[in-house]
Amino acid sequence: MTNKIAKSPSSYLIEVKTLSDRIVKAQQPIRILDAIKWDDGIKQAFFNGQCKIPPPVDGAYYANRPLGFDPVEKKYEFYQIERDLVRKLGQLNPLSVIMRRICREYQDVVDMLTGRGTPLFSNISQELYGSSQDVFHVGDPTIADLGSMMEGTLQQLLKLDFLTEEAKTITAKDAVAILNEKIQALFPGDGLRAMLSDGILSDAAAGTDYIKLRADALFNQRDLRVLEVHEIWVHLGTTLNGLAQPYCTFLGKGPPSATVTQEGLAVLMEILTFSSTPNRLMRLINRVRAITLVEEGANFMDIFQFFRERDMSEDESYLLSSRVFRGSTPEGLPFTKDLTYIKGFVLTYNFMRLAVSKGKPDRIPLLFCGKTMLEDMKVLVDLVEEGTVIAPRFLPPQFTDLMGLSAWLSFSRFMTSMNFRQLEQDYANVL
């Protein structure tokens, strides 16, 4: 037998890795959510005013929150990487195109953070994450329309006693222990973990190699199942797959535009595993509705009242309202990141069903190669075939065997073409 000698990476692949590593290093000090969050003093001032006076947030507030990097130098750093991509890889090379787009996007992020408390912040936010007035495809409803359409159905379901969720009795500390057991079972020895945190708005959030749970949050078993499939399977799983990439290391650190695919996959996993609930979906839709209202002229007090009218506590209404206005001011335009959950779900689901209808279901797992973007999927197929990108090391169970997923998705084109209003009439005597 002859021993196989491993091939050394070509000079091209070495160049790809060097440039990719530079992008990863350059983005490290950029922490969007840390730079735009409202501290506990803002919340305390709001409640000291009996929830009648808008939070005291203006341009001066953000000016006193350092970014942790020099904006001019950071933009120039990305510009230099962009220029070197052309010099080293060329203008039309697919990876050069992708990485230059990422460099420009991070320059936009720097401009957005520099513009905290001004209309520029929200304008760039809409460019990065979308607007409620965006359509999914030509002639389709807007994201705002989808929110309105789903709201009516979900409100009906939430009135049903037998769909009431169980009480939240699991403390964050106990939830961390349970999630760490699940993480170790899936990713033994990879250093991933769940941990407590006091500095997040949501009940949970995923970082590079961890899940943070808000220390004062309470959970039930279904909440933990959602966290397992959403945060562990998707966010930590794609991070792990991205960090395993030998050359395209940028796939381990997604720019804001990758958030659309990331959150879309995460919500899709909730649906595929029957983990989500009408109440969970209503929370996502309420965020869409809140952003829509702000884009139409509502202020912080209007949105706080919007959530209060949906039977939310003052504390929860404040947290949700501050999500919409973080980075902005109580009278300003919204931070639109929360649109990505529903927007990403629709776009990712459509990609999957079209992949099946075109006889290309094998492309679906490539979404998990790292922090991917839908617009790069065609290039990603070629990169995997040539070995520049490796196939995902971890896949959720639903994507390891594509037969069942393909069978389910193969019906979707036909089912969605049916006239729903006619169905309502025809089934009137049945339901």
Side-chain angles (χ1 to χ4, degrees):
M1 292 179 64
T2 58
N3 292 327
K4 291 185 178 180
I5 300 175
K7 290 184 178 179
S8 299
S10 66
S11 59
Y12 166 72
L13 291 177
I14 292 173
E15 204 65 72
V16 167
K17 185 179 188 313
T18 299
L19 292 162
S20 182
D21 285 347
R22 285 174 63 187
I23 293 176
V24 171
K25 182 178 179 181
Q27 63 80 45
Q28 283 177 350
I30 300 176
R31 295 288 178 263
I32 297 176
L33 299 185
D34 285 344
I36 66 176
K37 68 183 180 183
W38 294 359
D39 60 34
D40 290 340
I42 299 297
K43 178 180 179 181
Q44 192 59 51
F46 180 69
F47 281 94
N48 287 345
Q50 306 299 314
C51 303
K52 304 294 185 183
I53 303 171
V57 176
D58 54 18
Y61 169 78
Y62 294 112
N64 291 322
R65 293 189 66 85
L67 294 176
F69 59 87
D70 181 280
V72 175
E73 291 180 0
K74 186 56 63 180
K75 285 188 66 176
Y76 184 70
E77 183 179 2
F78 280 112
Y79 171 77
Q80 285 295 93
I81 298 173
E82 189 179 348
R83 291 303 308 142
D84 286 344
L85 281 160
V86 176
R87 294 187 184 106
K88 304 290 187 179
L89 303 184
Q91 184 80 20
L92 300 179
N93 176 278
L95 275 175
S96 175
V97 172
I98 291 173
M99 287 195 277
R100 280 187 286 126
R101 186 191 67 225
I102 291 173
C103 286
R104 289 192 293 271
E105 186 170 326
Y106 278 121
Q107 291 177 68
D108 289 339
V109 169
V110 172
D111 285 337
M112 181 181 75
L113 295 181
T114 304
R116 291 172 299 174
T118 73
L120 178 65
F121 172 85
S122 295
N123 291 338
I124 298 178
S125 167
Q126 290 176 334
E127 289 295 321
L128 295 173
Y129 302 106
S131 162
S132 67
Q133 300 308 311
D134 293 346
V135 296
F136 291 102
H137 307 284
V138 175
D140 277 357
T142 64
I143 298 174
D145 292 333
L146 176 64
S148 299
M149 291 163 61
M150 289 188 65
E151 188 175 36
T153 299
L154 292 170
Q155 284 175 341
Q156 287 285 93
L157 294 174
L158 291 174
K159 294 177 183 177
L160 303 175
D161 292 339
F162 58 86
L163 292 183
T164 301
E165 292 189 22
E166 61 182 293
K168 298 178 187 290
T169 59
I170 303 172
T171 66
K173 182 179 179 181
D174 289 338
V176 162
I178 294 170
L179 292 177
N180 273 325
E181 288 182 5
K182 295 182 182 296
I183 290 171
Q184 286 305 308
L186 281 173
F187 311 119
D190 285 311
L192 306 181
R193 67 197 189 284
M195 56 191 287
L196 293 176
S197 174
D198 292 318
I200 58 175
L201 286 179
S202 55
D203 288 346
T208 301
D209 57 358
Y210 58 83
I211 299 173
K212 294 188 292 187
L213 270 59
R214 200 176 74 243
D216 61 351
L218 292 173
F219 305 89
N220 57 34
Q221 288 294 339
R222 187 174 284 271
D223 292 333
L224 297 186
R225 177 59 172 167
V226 168
L227 290 176
E228 179 184 4
V229 302
H230 185 117
E231 307 289 353
I232 299 176
W233 289 11
V234 175
H235 293 327
L236 290 189
T238 54
T239 294
L240 194 69
N241 294 335
L243 293 175
Q245 294 299 329
Y247 309 112
C248 297
T249 53
F250 66 86
L251 286 172
K253 303 284 185 179
S257 57
T259 305
V260 175
T261 308
Q262 276 290 295
E263 298 301 354
L265 278 175
V267 174
L268 181 62
M269 286 310 310
E270 294 180 33
I271 304 298
L272 283 176
T273 57
F274 288 0
S275 302
S276 198
T277 66
N279 191 52
R280 160 71 173 164
L281 291 180
M282 180 59 93
R283 289 199 297 271
L284 297 180
I285 293 302
N286 279 338
R287 296 178 194 174
V288 173
R289 295 283 296 121
I291 290 171
T292 302
L293 291 171
V294 178
E295 289 186 332
E296 293 173 349
N299 60 29
F300 180 92
M301 299 306 298
D302 297 326
I303 299 306
F304 180 77
Q305 187 60 31
F306 167 82
F307 287 118
R308 290 289 288 134
E309 289 172 356
R310 278 151 179 74
D311 296 326
M312 296 184 191
S313 67
E314 289 184 342
D315 191 70
E316 187 175 8
S317 295
Y318 172 83
L319 289 175
L320 291 172
S321 300
S322 61
R323 284 181 70 105
V324 178
F325 286 92
R326 52 189 167 167
S328 185
T329 64
E331 298 292 332
L333 292 168
F335 178 54
T336 59
K337 178 180 177 292
D338 278 346
L339 295 177
T340 61
Y341 296 87
I342 299 301
K343 176 182 178 180
F345 167 75
V346 172
L347 293 176
T348 304
Y349 173 71
N350 281 341
F351 169 80
M352 290 184 180
R353 68 192 189 103
L354 282 169
V356 169
S357 71
K358 298 290 185 181
K360 300 176 180 179
D362 55 316
R363 299 195 173 188
I364 295 175
L366 300 186
L367 289 165
F368 291 88
C369 283
K371 307 303 182 183
T372 58
M373 288 170 268
L374 286 176
E375 53 263 51
D376 297 334
M377 293 309 298
K378 200 167 187 178
V379 173
L380 200 58
V381 172
D382 296 333
L383 294 174
V384 171
E385 287 180 355
E386 69 187 31
T388 305
V389 170
I390 61 173
R393 167 186 166 187
F394 166 77
L395 279 173
Q398 288 74 13
F399 293 89
T400 55
D401 183 347
L402 292 176
M403 286 191 289
L405 186 65
S406 297
W408 176 59
L409 288 170
S410 65
F411 280 101
S412 67
R413 183 174 183 182
F414 170 72
M415 298 299 289
T416 55
S417 68
M418 301 182 76
N419 186 317
F420 194 78
R421 294 205 176 279
Q422 187 60 52
L423 286 174
E424 288 182 314
Q425 294 179 16
D426 292 349
Y427 279 74
N429 293 328
V430 178
L431 288 171

